Amino acid sequence: MTEVTSAHVPSRVVLNQADIDRALTRIAHEILEANKGSQDLVLLGIPSRGYPLAVRLANKIAAADPSVNAETIVGQLDVTMFRDDLSHQPTRPPRHTRLPLSGIDNKVVVLIDDVLYSGRTIRAALDALVDLGRPRIVRLAVLVDRGHRELPIRADHVGKNLPTSSAEKVRVHLEEIDSVDGMPVNEVVIEAGK
């Protein structure tokens, strides 16, 4: 688990655990409605926080549609080597890409990420996806859309639109990855810019 520390940066919680759960429930139902059911559905989470969100969404979809096995529709899509900012970012190790056994060819693939900002991560995800197969449809679901797009990309399913200044930072903390003082935490916070 990653220890979440606040280095004296003013922040405010904009989504708590209950808010995140409600947003994910709504997104799961929107995905089922847009797809007219669960047939040919694949959820691919973008590391690091998109994957646990994809697992949570798969479980919610399975709860709404008992014919779905959550484990068989979820996967992880690493985009590290497809990013256009590799020379500007700190080095980070690639994560494993894991696809469901059914693959992605002719499937309805929903990319899952925590925060949609410039759109560059999603562009990288689309490039990575093309290397793996040919989905019938690709959709995007995000927990938070904070605006400031640099590319013509928009989410099909959004948990919360958060208008922010470009100086602010939006941090998503999920219990699968993050903890505060050794306790798991689920929240979305906005940190004031410097």
Side-chain angles (χ1 to χ4, degrees):
M1 283 194 164
T2 303
E3 183 76 21
V4 178
T5 59
S6 58
H8 306 310
V9 177
S11 65
R12 71 183 196 279
V13 175
V14 291
L15 293 175
N16 62 27
Q17 182 169 342
D19 297 328
I20 292 171
D21 190 58
R22 274 191 301 277
L24 293 177
T25 299
R26 183 173 38 77
I27 290 171
H29 287 279
E30 286 177 4
I31 289 169
L32 284 170
E33 185 176 333
N35 196 50
K36 296 179 176 53
S38 60
Q39 186 173 357
D40 295 331
L41 191 60
V42 172
L43 306 180
L44 292 181
I46 299 170
S48 59
R49 287 166 183 81
Y51 177 69
L53 290 172
V55 170
R56 291 183 190 190
L57 281 168
N59 288 327
K60 288 183 178 296
I61 288 170
D65 182 348
S67 71
V68 173
N69 178 345
E71 293 178 14
T72 64
I73 66 167
V74 71
Q76 177 172 279
L77 179 65
D78 180 61
V79 302
T80 304
M81 300 313 295
F82 293 90
R83 295 189 62 90
D84 63 1
D85 59 358
L86 286 175
S87 62
H88 305 345
Q89 297 289 331
T91 304
R92 60 178 157 204
R95 308 277 178 115
H96 294 291
T97 291
R98 293 186 303 267
L99 297 180
L101 289 177
S102 62
I104 61 168
D105 287 333
N106 206 31
K107 302 288 184 183
V108 177
V109 173
V110 182
L111 297 173
I112 314 291
D113 205 4
D114 57 347
V115 178
L116 179 56
Y117 182 39
S118 68
R120 293 185 180 280
T121 298
I122 304 308
R123 186 216 47 88
L126 292 169
D127 288 347
L129 204 56
V130 169
D131 273 6
L132 298 170
R134 191 171 194 283
R136 184 171 75 239
I137 297 171
V138 179
R139 294 194 175 109
L140 174 61
V142 296
L143 181 60
V144 173
D145 184 344
R146 64 170 293 191
H148 305 283
R149 216 76 74 239
E150 296 172 3
L151 298 171
I153 290 174
R154 69 168 182 79
D156 300 285
H157 311 287
V158 177
K160 177 100 172 149
N161 286 294
L162 286 177
T164 59
S165 80
S166 56
E168 293 174 310
K169 296 196 180 310
V170 175
R171 305 277 190 215
V172 175
H173 302 140
L174 300 176
E175 67 185 28
E176 294 90 341
I177 298 170
D178 304 301
S179 66
V180 174
D181 298 328
M183 297 298 294
V185 63
N186 289 290
E187 64 185 9
V188 177
V189 299
I190 294 180
E191 294 177 354
K194 295 180 181 181

